[in-house]
Amino acid sequence: MTRRLAAILLVLISLVACAPEEATYRKSAIIMDTLVTITVVSDSGQEAEGAMDAAFDEIRRLEKLLSFWTEDSEIAAIYQNAGVRPVKVSPETLDIVERSLYIAERTGGAFDPTVGPVMRLWDFHEKRMPTKKEIEGKLPLVDYRKVVVDRDNSTVYLEVKGMSFDTGGIAKGYAVDRAVEVLKESGMESGLVAIAGDIRGFGPRTWRIGIRDPRAEGDEGVMATLELKDKAISTSGDYERYFILDGKRYHHLLDPKTGLPARGVWSASVVADEAVLTDGFSTGIFVMGPERGLALAEELDVEAVIVADGGEVLITPGIKDRITWNW
């Protein structure tokens, strides 16, 4: 199991309350190159099964549209035509591109979906660190402001040849939201969808979500437990994909301005109404650093738990009463 898979559900999920006549149903599948787990509360096993299958189908459909790694996706068509022509895309692709640009704007580029050219220079499995010259050669291709969206014609255009648009930092959250909508349309009143570390609960049930200790040994350490009701949560951490070189940790959460791993934060968890927002903003807040990240969370009226270098924890006031600390 990969580190990203092991981080699924931020380590722990449990149901707080369930009516006696209802049962909890759960299914998992590998989609979007990670573990997807869907849980619903229902008085009918047959209806629950059908609803979960429909939600899995929706996630698979979105994967085909939004995958950065397959050559026949709409996202691939966008970067294959960078500097050449605008690409007509589906409403879903247009929506996720616009959501990505909104988060990029609000984070001042700390979250930037065009960071792909620099990201591809790194190999965290083989512990390959690019040279300064290699990074400097690709940084001019990283600029979300050079993405042109034409909503009237449903097109997306990257202005410079060699640019790319990578939905990896937001696609899982977007798919979580769509899966939730499918479950609701299928008659499920309460449930939970988790795609790797991006989770959203819906309905009247309260769920306990474990937030991982970013410096725990292995994949089992839980720093705190959060009560989640009709909200989404995502965590970005420097423990997901990384290597140690000369005693220094190099991880996959790159600062788009430097092309190097962001420093100052070990993990950032964000709670908001939609998983597409928690997915993108957890990355942006991580890159921004603890103080600026916390200020942005308060400005956006979302909740955040930030573990800074050295283990200091910063937290937005609105979430304090819903967290139980294990430290």
Side-chain angles (χ1 to χ4, degrees):
M1 180 176 287
T2 67
R3 184 169 298 275
R4 183 61 173 164
L5 293 182
I8 182 77
L9 311 187
L10 306 184
V11 182
L12 171 69
I13 294 178
S14 65
L15 186 64
V16 173
C18 184
E21 68 274 11
E22 295 177 327
T24 302
Y25 300 90
R26 180 173 298 162
K27 291 184 71 173
S28 297
I30 301 296
I31 314 174
M32 303 183 95
D33 197 32
T34 193
L35 181 63
V36 179
T37 299
I38 297 177
T39 307
V40 295
V41 180
S42 176
D43 57 7
S44 169
Q46 184 174 359
E47 291 181 5
E49 187 85 10
M52 290 187 289
D53 287 344
F56 283 127
D57 288 344
E58 175 67 2
I59 297 169
R60 292 186 183 97
R61 184 182 73 86
L62 291 172
E63 180 181 28
K64 291 179 181 178
L65 288 176
L66 305 176
S67 175
F68 180 74
W69 302 105
T70 58
E71 295 185 358
D72 58 349
S73 71
E74 289 188 348
I75 291 298
I78 292 171
Y79 68 72
Q80 287 164 358
N81 288 279
V84 179
R85 65 176 180 85
V87 175
K88 192 171 184 63
V89 297
S90 64
E92 294 87 350
T93 299
L94 193 73
D95 187 26
I96 200 171
V97 168
E98 290 188 321
R99 293 294 198 104
S100 298
L101 296 179
Y102 164 74
I103 295 171
E105 185 68 32
R106 293 307 303 265
T107 60
F111 172 89
D112 192 325
T114 67
V115 75
V118 174
M119 181 66 75
R120 282 194 290 266
L121 296 174
W122 292 80
D123 189 329
F124 296 95
H125 179 69
E126 297 296 331
K127 300 183 179 182
R128 181 188 185 278
M129 178 180 174
T131 65
K132 181 179 179 181
K133 183 177 181 180
E134 287 175 321
I135 293 174
E136 290 176 347
K138 295 296 183 181
L139 279 178
L141 300 174
V142 181
D143 190 347
Y144 70 92
R145 294 166 296 184
K146 295 177 182 178
V147 181
V148 180
V149 176
D150 185 338
R151 174 157 281 280
D152 291 337
N153 293 306
S154 193
T155 62
V156 180
Y157 176 56
L158 304 180
E159 293 183 336
V160 181
K161 192 173 182 63
M163 286 184 68
S164 67
F165 196 97
D166 185 357
T167 59
I170 195 172
K172 292 181 178 66
Y174 186 83
V176 165
D177 290 333
R178 282 298 310 140
V180 166
E181 293 309 309
V182 169
L183 292 172
K184 290 179 178 180
E185 291 166 3
S186 301
M188 298 297 103
E189 295 184 358
S190 187
L192 195 77
V193 177
I195 303 181
D198 303 302
I199 304 167
R200 180 176 168 185
F202 67 94
R205 305 304 177 193
T206 300
W207 308 83
R208 291 193 185 99
I209 308 297
I211 300 178
R212 175 177 167 163
D213 179 349
R215 286 299 178 267
E217 294 295 329
D219 298 306
E220 300 302 326
V222 177
M223 175 180 73
T225 304
L226 170 71
E227 290 188 1
L228 191 75
K229 183 177 180 180
D230 213 21
K231 294 284 185 179
I233 182 170
S234 298
T235 293
S236 294
D238 66 1
Y239 51 81
E240 295 172 1
R241 279 189 288 150
Y242 74 96
F243 59 85
I244 304 294
L245 184 63
D246 297 329
K248 192 171 185 179
R249 180 181 297 247
Y250 293 90
H251 57 82
H252 77 292
L253 295 166
L254 304 182
D255 183 338
K257 293 180 175 61
T258 66
L260 297 170
R263 301 298 179 191
V265 174
W266 287 353
S267 73
S269 301
V270 173
V271 178
D273 290 336
E274 298 176 284
V276 68
L277 297 179
T278 61
D279 195 2
F281 278 121
S282 66
T283 299
I285 285 172
F286 182 103
V287 173
M288 291 175 75
E291 289 80 14
R292 289 177 59 222
L294 191 70
L296 177 64
E298 293 177 347
E299 178 185 329
L300 293 169
D301 197 26
V302 302
E303 305 299 344
V305 179
I306 302 170
V307 183
D309 277 353
E312 179 188 4
V313 178
L314 292 79
I315 184 171
T316 50
I319 205 174
K320 288 182 178 179
D321 294 338
R322 288 182 281 146
I323 283 188
T324 301
W325 298 98
N326 296 338
W327 288 355

